[in-house]
Amino acid sequence: MTPQEYVQQKAAASGSSFYYAFLFLPKPRRAAITAFYAFCREVDDVVDEVSDPGVARTKLAWWQAEVARAYAGQPEHPVMQALMPCAHDYSITQAQLQAVIEGCQMDLEQTRYLDFIGLERYCHLVAGVVGEVSASIFGQTQPQTTAYAHKLGLAFQLTNIIRDVGEDAMRGRIYLPLDEMQKFDVKAHEIVNRLYSDRFTALMKFQADRAQKLYDEALALLPHEDRRSQKPGLMMASIYRTLLREIEQDGFQVLHQRVSLTPLRKFWLAWKVQALGRL
């Protein structure tokens, strides 16, 4: 299997909304974003799939060294072998890749966040930086597009947090800020034990409103000159906002299940943005 086949298989197997947005890109950009996304999946899977924190730390340390090796011209892993030919063309820096790994390391060291400011730092590493790299690969020409991409990445991550509340709690992690849980009088044990309440619904509505506001703010930041090139990000925004609305309409039933859209629906939402240019 070639490095290119490896990253393609990794991206397709994830079933992620991101994959559907990649389908409409020109081949060189599609190759770059697929390799970058596969890198993100590899390091994220270390945290999600390795049960021993010590082993996970060792694996992430290996990835840190692998990124350094790759930028020194000696990549060993097929993901880095696929990504490095694209790194120069799309200005992907070693610091950006190391930041993504640092975000995953935070998952091993920190399972709660006191407030949204602390959570935002985590989101910057695992989603904001990813947004910035993606915008560059898609074809950014305006400096302001970086701010748009970063804020959109934050909105995506908050949507993921809302969707995965129950699943994350089973792994011992709660990303809802502690001060906001206290404000709505929601206890950690209620989330872990999948206990729904009006208080929990109110807390989740507060989280969803923040995410929706960030989507609006991000889209307002996107310069007109880059709107066409950034269509893949707009496709993802359409898919993620639709998912968020579904979760809201379903009354935030996220403690016992992972709400998702069907592949056909994701493809339809992506195609609509590509063909009609609207979310």
Side-chain angles (χ1 to χ4, degrees):
M1 183 187 297
T2 68
Q4 288 70 30
E5 289 168 341
Y6 180 93
V7 296
Q8 176 67 30
Q9 193 174 87
K10 186 79 178 176
S14 74
S16 167
S17 305
F18 289 72
Y19 178 70
Y20 295 89
F22 303 166
L23 297 175
F24 298 92
L25 281 167
K27 191 173 180 179
R29 296 186 190 278
R30 188 167 70 244
I33 195 65
T34 301
F36 174 62
Y37 179 71
F39 165 79
C40 294
R41 283 259 49 87
E42 288 284 351
V43 295
D44 192 54
D45 286 350
V46 170
V47 175
D48 287 344
E49 296 178 2
V50 178
S51 57
D52 185 326
V55 173
R57 287 187 191 94
T58 300
K59 284 179 174 287
L60 289 179
W62 183 90
W63 273 105
Q64 287 176 317
E66 169 64 0
V67 168
R69 276 193 299 272
Y71 276 86
Q74 297 176 309
E76 295 178 6
H77 196 280
V79 161
M80 296 308 297
Q81 290 169 355
L83 181 57
M84 290 317 296
C86 314
H88 175 74
D89 292 344
Y90 300 109
S91 304
I92 304 169
T93 68
Q94 179 177 174
Q96 288 171 321
L97 300 189
Q98 296 288 9
V100 174
I101 299 172
E102 184 185 344
C104 291
Q105 285 175 320
M106 286 183 71
D107 276 328
L108 300 177
E109 310 300 334
Q110 191 167 351
T111 58
R112 307 285 169 87
Y113 291 88
L114 290 175
D115 51 30
F116 183 65
I117 293 173
L119 180 64
E120 208 168 9
R121 165 64 182 162
Y122 167 75
C123 292
H124 161 73
L125 294 170
V126 299
V129 173
V130 172
E132 292 170 15
V133 173
S134 299
S136 179
I137 293 172
F138 295 155
Q140 173 180 348
T141 65
Q142 304 298 312
Q144 190 182 339
T145 300
T146 299
Y148 143 82
H150 192 278
K151 188 155 285 198
L152 191 61
L154 178 57
F156 289 160
Q157 189 62 24
L158 294 185
T159 303
N160 283 339
I161 287 170
I162 292 166
R163 178 194 64 193
D164 297 340
V165 167
E167 195 174 287
D168 288 333
M170 292 301 103
R171 293 189 173 115
R173 298 196 289 266
I174 298 177
Y175 294 100
L176 305 173
L178 280 171
D179 62 346
E180 294 171 6
M181 288 176 63
Q182 290 169 354
K183 177 183 174 182
F184 290 93
D185 193 28
V186 174
K187 306 295 192 294
H189 74 83
E190 294 176 315
I191 292 174
V192 171
N193 292 313
R194 301 177 177 179
L195 300 176
Y196 291 99
S197 66
D198 291 341
R199 293 172 287 107
F200 175 76
T201 301
L203 171 63
M204 298 309 292
K205 180 71 167 62
F206 182 80
Q207 306 301 318
D209 287 347
R210 173 192 281 143
Q212 293 288 13
K213 185 170 179 282
L214 283 165
Y215 282 114
D216 290 337
E217 290 174 358
L219 295 173
L221 286 170
L222 178 59
H224 175 74
E225 296 91 335
D226 276 356
R227 189 170 178 85
R228 180 180 292 273
S229 70
Q230 297 302 314
K231 271 188 176 181
L234 297 177
M235 292 175 193
M236 290 185 280
S238 178
I239 292 169
Y240 267 74
R241 288 196 94 166
T242 300
L243 173 64
L244 185 55
R245 290 188 193 106
E246 294 253 326
I247 291 171
E248 288 186 84
Q249 289 166 9
D250 198 32
F252 298 101
Q253 298 292 300
V254 291
L255 294 178
H256 68 291
Q257 64 182 355
R258 192 179 203 256
V259 181
S260 62
L261 304 180
T262 65
L264 183 60
R265 193 164 179 203
K266 289 178 183 178
F267 182 81
W268 164 248
L269 290 166
W271 179 86
K272 195 164 65 170
V273 173
Q274 174 68 16
L276 307 178
R278 66 171 186 263
L279 275 65

